[in-house]
Amino acid sequence: MHDWHAHHRPPVAVCHGAACVVLAELGPLPEFLFGLESGFFTDKNGVLFFVLPVRRVPDLDPEQDAVYVAGDFNGWQDAVGQEHWQLKPGEFNGLPVLLWSGEAKQFSAGQRFKFVTGWHHWLPVPDTAPNALRDDLGNANHQLDPNRSGRHLFSFSVAEPLDLTQTWTVGWADDGGEVPLRPGAFFHALETELPLGAVVGRGDTTFRLFAPRAQRVELCLCSDLGGQGAPLRYALRHQDEADGRWAGTWEVTLEQNLHGWFYWYSVAGPEGPYSHFDPSHRVLDPYALATVDRDGPGIVLDRKWIGLGDRSFRTPPWQDLVIAEAHVRDLVVKAPLESMSDAGVRLGFRELQEWVESPEFHLHRLGINAVELQPVQEFDDRAREEYHWGYMTNNYFSVESSYASKPAEASGIREFQDLVAAFHRRGMAVILDVVYNHVGEPAHLLFVDKLYYFEMNDTGRLSNWSGCGNDLRASSAMTRRLVIDSLIHLVEAYGVDGFRFDLAELLGVELLSEVERELKRVKPDIILIAEPWSFRGHIAGELRDTGFASWNDGYREFLREFVRGGATPVQFEYFLKGSPWHFAKWPAQTVNYAASHDDRAWIDVITENPDFQGDVPTANDRRRTHIMAAILFASIGIPMLPAGQDFMRSKRGVSNTYQRGDLNALDYTRVLRYPGTHGYFADWIAFRRSEAGRLLRHYSRASEGFFRFYFAPDSTAAAVVYNADRSMGGKRLMFMVNPTAHDATIALDAEAESGPWRQLANIDRFLAGDAPGMMHAVKKELFCPALSLGLWIAE
């Protein structure tokens, strides 16, 4: 399509095959609507406008922060700081925007452009922008097109509603050129409140599926897995809402309690670029409560049989949390359990429960009070023995079948319930890592309705800001319901205490806020954590006004740099205070960490050894690990460890180990190799959770004078006094750290000198009585040896 310059209306036709519908109305849309999506438009007077909706930059103050348009026409980076290219505040139909305007003739077709802040932060180009252009390096830019500048958009209405189970095209009535017609926001607002899935009654079972563009849905059913080749087949009927509205729901009720039977769907629908229907594909019910494997079949289960998860556990206050991120198989495969001599049988929930209940359970001895399990919802491993991180989810209600001892009997339900209860008895909250931004293979939702459930461009190409090729459409009403219903099910059926949302930026603040609201109705003390980024952008700033905490990637990068003598005093102060205001509006809103499951292990990143080989760490590697632990536990916020960090777990330099069970399995013999480091972590955790450690655990922001920082000249060596103003009682803490390879001296003032100070810890260990190390007294000048730290208390 191109700009329409004629005075008469364009000869538009809307057709399905040879049959065309009557247009009741046709008229041009305002040019600025195109600009809101494409970043520019041209008016009838030849004026070109660059447009940036303020809603796309929520962290920006349009009255204070400068934004520039930069591109091929002004030297890109050179435009920053030039008033001529700065956007000015304005509005269109009440919508706040930033604008630049000038003569269109000064620009050429095909020129690229982008928006950039005065701080040289390049704003991402939405994948949905119709003029988005990606270069050979993967960078996305807007592109100027004088033939499509805003006057090519028309709206129309039809005399009769279109049948969405058919493929419609719009094009020129006179020459037959046509493009597929794509339903808009009204389609993604379609929803039903009816119960979905296999609903078992007293003497019947109802099967219900939401498939808004399906032409036919068939239920396939068998009483045992041997009957899959010749299943019973039942056609589902389309079911309108109670008020007669068509809402895309299909159902059939069978007069039998089918608890324990197996089922799947066949879904037929229209062809076209926005469709992925295939009646030969066995569709796993999105609401199946258990499944045999990633392909299905689903298992019909009575919710009364499932019951409720453990409700006896009280979730710790967020500021008291110390989280260990862990993988089911990594925890148990090499655990020192006599009853499981063959590591090959350690595949799932039942074996991990035995390890959790063991007196030797490592995480209990370490002292953590929350475990964050990598995904346990059904994911796309191809065989029970295959190792997988789990970030390719196939079903949101089912727990992973390969972690169950008898998947065909849905044993995983009881086994996961028992595992959660075992963690609770150990005093540990259970947080689940959940993946709602994309789906695994086979992508069953694609066969239910690609257009409704997935983000795509106008040609039908799936969006890929997740890096996995099929971003879920979080704005669709029934996607939101699928997410929320499954989360509530995990809380109610299994008793889990919280969730960490993978690539939460793709879900968006609107859906995350709805998740928070609905989950807190079920469990008011639910723990909610976001990984606040994707390849598209970062939303930690937007989450400040929600009840979500966020993984703090800035903190991670700071720690890795700081222990090697880098970073700055300003960064040290900011991150030790808990990344206040800019990242975290309240103290426990930042999840502080130095490494996670992703990328290399901590020791492999910071080791002095070549090629990231941290398997045998040097003495300095160990000292830097102790410095990291001390800073982590001395920082305001929620500390998180990847399991094994306390014994310097190494993945031998490999950066992406998502299918490397051999490298990821925790080698508990390293606790014996490095007992000092393991003990150091455990002592810091015990101190942080102690009465004196409450000065490190903040519910609300500390007073202005709570912290007092001191820095060595020409060094990153630093000291800080906690509770300097006595706003939290009479106790004070002093923490000193020198991550550099050179000795340093820090000048103190009267406040820091006043004590008496009693040393609690040094770089090697926590101290007791008159143990060596007590002589490191606090005086007017604090001597800080290279690669050292200290912790003192004044009572």
Side-chain angles (χ1 to χ4, degrees):
M1 300 291 286
H2 55 77
D3 285 349
W4 185 255
H5 300 287
H7 294 294
H8 63 276
R9 298 188 307 174
V12 172
V14 176
C15 304
H16 167 59
C20 296
V21 300
V22 177
L23 298 186
E25 189 176 311
L26 175 68
L29 288 169
E31 294 98 334
F32 75 80
L33 291 178
F34 174 71
L36 297 177
E37 300 295 326
S38 299
F40 87 102
F41 71 91
T42 304
D43 69 11
K44 61 183 178 182
N45 298 316
V47 176
L48 185 143
F49 293 83
F50 289 110
V51 186
L52 175 65
V54 172
R55 67 189 179 197
R56 278 186 50 199
V57 281
D59 289 341
L60 227 63
D61 181 346
E63 300 294 337
Q64 301 290 332
D65 300 320
V67 179
Y68 303 87
V69 60
D72 293 327
F73 43 80
N74 62 8
W76 291 92
Q77 193 78 28
D78 296 339
V80 178
Q82 294 190 32
E83 185 177 357
H84 175 70
W85 294 108
Q86 184 176 345
L87 278 65
K88 306 298 182 184
E91 67 173 48
F92 286 124
N93 279 18
L95 179 70
V97 296
L98 295 175
L99 285 171
W100 183 97
S101 62
E103 291 187 356
K105 61 184 180 182
Q106 64 183 294
F107 302 98
S108 302
Q111 287 183 323
R112 300 165 301 162
F113 70 93
K114 213 166 189 173
F115 299 112
V116 58
T117 71
W119 297 97
H120 297 275
H121 173 59
W122 293 89
L123 303 181
V125 173
D127 197 43
T128 54
N131 63 335
L133 179 70
R134 196 170 292 275
D135 62 25
D136 293 339
L137 298 176
N139 302 308
N141 299 291
H142 290 291
Q143 185 178 40
L144 291 172
D145 183 353
N147 294 316
R148 289 163 57 93
S149 62
R151 282 170 288 156
H152 63 291
L153 297 181
F154 286 77
S155 65
F156 63 85
S157 61
V158 293
E160 297 291 338
L162 297 180
D163 180 359
L164 295 183
T165 65
Q166 305 297 329
T167 299
W168 296 89
T169 60
V170 59
W172 305 118
D174 49 3
D175 68 3
E178 58 186 21
V179 293
L181 183 63
R182 178 179 175 179
F186 78 93
F187 174 68
H188 299 288
L190 293 175
E191 60 182 330
T192 180
E193 296 181 357
L194 294 170
L196 296 173
V199 183
V200 178
R202 183 169 298 178
D204 58 28
T205 305
T206 297
F207 296 86
R208 196 175 285 120
L209 177 72
F210 179 80
R213 291 193 303 145
Q215 297 169 340
R216 175 178 57 81
V217 178
E218 186 176 58
L219 168 70
C220 300
L221 187 68
C222 54
S223 60
D224 60 74
L225 293 177
Q228 294 180 78
L232 302 172
R233 295 179 180 271
Y234 301 90
L236 275 69
R237 301 179 303 277
H238 185 264
Q239 181 70 30
D240 291 333
E241 293 293 286
D243 59 5
R245 289 183 296 111
W246 178 81
T249 307
W250 297 76
E251 72 171 51
V252 64
T253 298
L254 304 179
E255 301 300 321
Q256 184 178 347
N257 182 321
L258 296 172
H259 175 80
W261 284 51
F262 304 94
Y263 74 108
W264 65 93
Y265 294 118
S266 168
V267 183
E271 296 182 353
Y274 308 137
S275 298
H276 199 79
F277 295 103
D278 180 359
S280 66
H281 177 78
R282 291 169 42 153
V283 174
L284 175 62
D285 183 2
Y287 275 73
L289 301 178
T291 179
V292 175
D293 58 36
R294 69 175 193 168
D295 296 302
I299 305 174
V300 180
L301 295 176
D302 188 339
R303 284 183 178 267
K304 294 179 182 178
W305 176 84
I306 294 175
L308 297 175
D310 178 48
R311 301 295 183 91
S312 64
F313 182 74
R314 183 176 180 181
T315 304
W318 287 27
Q319 68 271 17
D320 294 345
L321 291 173
V322 180
I323 299 174
E325 183 201 36
H327 183 278
V328 169
R329 289 187 179 172
D330 292 350
L331 281 175
V332 74
V333 69
K334 291 185 177 180
L337 287 170
E338 294 181 3
S339 61
M340 293 189 298
S341 57
D342 179 8
V345 304
R346 301 181 186 183
L347 297 180
F349 300 135
R350 188 175 61 180
E351 294 79 24
L352 179 55
Q353 179 191 345
E354 184 177 348
W355 176 224
V356 171
E357 293 173 339
S358 165
E360 303 299 317
F361 182 45
H362 167 258
L363 294 181
H364 178 68
R365 287 175 168 261
L366 187 61
I368 65 100
N369 61 3
V371 60
E372 181 182 300
L373 291 176
Q374 289 178 247
V376 299
Q377 293 161 300
E378 183 68 25
F379 51 78
D380 69 359
D381 52 339
R382 291 161 294 186
R384 187 164 183 252
E385 295 75 20
E386 180 185 12
Y387 179 90
H388 202 298
W389 267 351
Y391 291 91
M392 299 290 285
T393 311
N394 290 79
N395 184 277
Y396 294 119
F397 286 82
S398 309
V399 293
E400 170 56 28
S401 55
S402 69
Y403 292 166
S405 60
K406 298 177 180 179
E409 298 178 18
S411 69
I413 289 177
R414 291 281 178 267
E415 290 162 0
F416 188 57
Q417 287 173 332
D418 292 344
L419 174 61
V420 172
F423 274 117
H424 286 170
R425 289 191 295 272
R426 280 295 200 185
M428 297 181 192
V430 177
I431 303 166
L432 298 186
D433 202 340
V434 290
V435 185
Y436 288 103
N437 57 82
H438 70 279
V439 297
E441 295 293 336
H444 296 284
L445 282 172
L446 272 175
F447 297 90
V448 176
D449 199 324
K450 173 184 174 182
L451 177 61
Y452 188 89
Y453 284 107
F454 293 88
E455 296 280 4
M456 66 186 75
N457 65 11
D458 288 339
T459 67
R461 181 174 61 86
L462 293 171
S463 177
N464 189 30
W465 290 111
S466 64
C468 298
N470 54 33
D471 299 347
L472 217 59
R473 180 181 287 274
S475 59
S476 290
M478 293 302 289
T479 305
R480 296 197 301 270
R481 181 179 162 189
L482 176 64
V483 170
I484 292 169
D485 285 355
S486 58
L487 291 169
I488 290 174
H489 174 71
L490 291 169
V491 172
E492 292 183 334
Y494 298 104
V496 301
D497 305 286
F499 302 97
R500 176 266 190 188
F501 291 81
D502 181 73
L503 299 182
E505 190 276 334
L506 292 176
L507 302 182
V509 176
E510 183 179 345
L511 174 54
L512 293 174
S513 297
E514 190 175 351
V515 164
E516 177 190 355
R517 184 171 59 252
E518 295 303 319
L519 286 181
K520 284 185 174 178
R521 291 175 180 172
V522 178
K523 183 177 174 60
D525 59 356
I526 193 83
I527 299 168
L528 297 172
I529 300 171
E531 182 184 41
W533 58 80
S534 72
F535 289 110
R536 183 174 65 183
H538 205 296
I539 60 168
E542 295 177 68
L543 289 172
R544 286 175 299 182
D545 291 320
T546 71
F548 271 81
S550 291
W551 273 22
N552 194 334
D553 51 326
Y555 186 97
R556 176 194 64 202
E557 298 309 309
F558 153 74
L559 259 187
R560 292 178 176 184
E561 187 177 358
F562 184 79
V563 300
R564 290 178 287 193
T568 66
V570 171
Q571 289 175 307
F572 178 83
E573 180 173 342
Y574 175 73
F575 288 114
L576 210 76
K577 284 183 174 180
S579 306
W581 305 119
H582 177 70
F583 188 94
K585 199 169 185 178
W586 35 278
Q589 200 167 30
T590 172
V591 176
N592 301 325
Y593 70 110
S596 65
H597 67 276
D598 214 354
D599 204 357
R600 292 184 175 92
W602 159 265
I603 199 66
D604 296 337
V605 171
I606 62 97
T607 184
E608 295 177 324
N609 296 327
D611 301 322
F612 304 102
Q613 293 292 332
D615 189 46
V616 182
T618 68
N620 284 343
D621 292 344
R622 294 195 293 274
R623 291 188 186 98
R624 290 186 172 107
T625 297
H626 286 206
I627 289 173
M628 175 272 291
I631 295 173
L632 181 67
F633 295 118
S635 297
I636 307 305
I638 302 174
M640 185 192 80
L641 305 170
Q645 193 171 39
D646 59 291
F647 50 70
M648 293 183 289
R649 170 198 194 185
S650 170
K651 295 192 281 187
R652 299 176 188 169
V654 179
S655 61
N656 190 359
T657 59
Y658 78 105
Q659 286 189 306
R660 292 294 302 274
D662 58 322
L663 293 179
N664 292 331
L666 296 181
D667 179 4
Y668 294 105
T669 65
R670 290 179 75 88
V671 176
L672 304 177
R673 287 194 184 97
Y674 308 107
T677 297
H678 166 71
Y680 195 69
F681 274 71
D683 286 345
W684 262 106
I685 292 172
F687 175 74
R688 184 181 173 96
R689 295 181 60 188
S690 70
E691 171 58 26
R694 69 183 179 86
L695 295 180
L696 309 174
R697 310 190 310 268
H698 294 185
Y699 173 76
S700 56
R701 282 285 167 215
S703 60
E704 192 67 28
F706 180 87
F707 299 95
R708 188 168 295 185
F709 286 85
Y710 307 86
F711 297 98
D714 303 319
S715 173
T716 54
V720 55
V721 173
Y722 300 80
N723 200 29
D725 61 0
R726 279 70 165 183
S727 58
M728 290 179 64
K731 291 182 180 179
R732 290 173 296 149
L733 297 174
M734 179 182 286
F735 176 57
M736 175 276 291
V737 60
N738 179 7
T740 72
H742 306 283
D743 296 346
T745 301
I746 298 176
L748 303 177
D749 59 15
E751 169 58 39
E753 287 181 63
S754 64
W757 293 102
R758 176 169 60 90
Q759 191 170 7
L760 299 176
N762 59 26
I763 187 72
D764 294 313
R765 61 191 180 278
F766 270 68
L767 308 169
D770 57 356
M774 294 296 290
M775 298 303 293
H776 196 157
V778 176
K779 301 178 180 179
K780 289 184 178 181
E781 289 188 335
L782 189 62
F783 176 67
C784 312
L787 289 174
S788 71
L789 64 85
L791 176 68
W792 295 263
I793 189 169
E795 299 179 274

